[in-house]
Amino acid sequence: MPVQLRRVSSDVEFNDLVQCVCESYAAPVNRLWRLFRHDPSPAGFIELRDRLIREFRDDPNACWLKIIDTDIGDKVVGAALWNTYTENPYPTFEDHPVEAEWWPEGVKEADRLNLETFIEATDLGKLTYEACGFVYAGTNYLESAKRNASPEWKALERDMQTPIHMYRMWRPAGGKWVEGETQLPWKED
């Protein structure tokens, strides 16, 4: 399977890109994707595609990359969104210059700019990111329990299998991690 990495440059590329992303998060099911990004109905697909196009147009820090298989008509077989910041985009958090949703091109850009990298990982992604030099920085939980929940709410809880968790991962600038020497940004001296 000969593949090529390409930067997304136009709105028309989002149909195939979104189709690929939705398929990849469907099996195994990524509950966070389902909850925050995508309603799997045809109308949900259009809403997601249009929302990603708007975000793509409006965010100068966003860079969508796609991997295409040239043997099967340039079919999109992978995609990634990178948001690269040379200054802290978060007014309430320190030291978050780069966020990534995919490896490795964004990390190469972070290394070129000598920036540290932060990502959020699923169970499957955590091991991959650790193998690529990321360090576990904590777990976030999405809890849905509520008092006097309606039948619709309870059905959503069953569908989403809450609580849902994701891992915060960090990679130092340049990827140079030395156990016991590298200062972790979330630990005090």
Side-chain angles (χ1 to χ4, degrees):
M1 169 170 76
V3 296
Q4 292 180 359
L5 177 67
R6 295 185 183 164
R7 185 180 287 246
V8 174
S9 59
S10 70
D11 295 356
V12 297
E13 297 174 82
F14 276 88
N15 269 336
D16 292 340
L17 183 145
V18 171
Q19 183 66 41
C20 173
V21 172
C22 290
E23 288 173 6
S24 71
Y25 285 140
V29 173
N30 182 314
R31 294 174 292 156
L32 287 170
W33 173 258
R34 170 76 170 82
L35 183 63
F36 290 114
R37 298 299 274 184
H38 181 57
D39 161 12
S41 71
F45 179 91
I46 292 168
E47 187 280 329
L48 173 64
R49 182 204 59 208
D50 292 350
R51 180 168 20 110
L52 293 180
I53 288 171
R54 281 192 309 276
E55 292 171 3
F56 172 68
R57 289 179 186 161
D58 294 344
D59 186 352
N61 299 301
C63 174
W64 272 100
L65 301 172
K66 65 180 180 177
I67 298 173
I68 56 119
D69 183 333
T70 58
D71 272 356
I72 51 176
D74 290 353
K75 177 178 173 59
V76 178
V77 294
L81 169 63
W82 280 91
N83 294 91
T84 304
Y85 304 96
T86 56
E87 295 181 12
N88 184 354
Y90 303 99
T92 58
F93 297 98
E94 296 294 323
D95 301 318
H96 295 303
V98 175
E99 281 201 346
E101 293 182 0
W102 189 71
W103 172 269
E105 288 302 314
V107 171
K108 288 179 185 175
E109 180 69 2
D111 287 348
R112 186 183 71 75
L113 296 170
N114 196 37
L115 299 172
E116 57 192 328
T117 308
F118 291 84
I119 60 165
E120 296 166 343
T122 62
D123 290 325
L124 292 173
K126 182 177 182 283
L127 296 175
T128 300
Y129 292 128
E130 286 174 335
C132 296
F134 283 84
V135 177
Y136 169 76
T139 304
N140 292 343
Y141 293 92
L142 176 64
E143 180 60 61
S144 63
K146 82 183 219 181
R147 191 178 301 157
N148 302 320
S150 69
E152 293 85 6
W153 185 269
K154 290 178 182 178
L156 179 63
E157 284 183 311
R158 280 190 303 276
D159 183 43
M160 298 307 301
Q161 302 171 13
T162 60
I164 300 171
H165 65 272
M166 65 183 161
Y167 303 105
R168 295 184 311 272
M169 308 289 292
W170 170 79
R171 183 175 178 272
K176 295 173 182 72
W177 165 259
V178 179
E179 184 74 36
E181 292 182 22
T182 304
Q183 180 67 36
L184 302 173
W186 59 89
K187 296 206 177 186
E188 296 183 21
D189 295 328

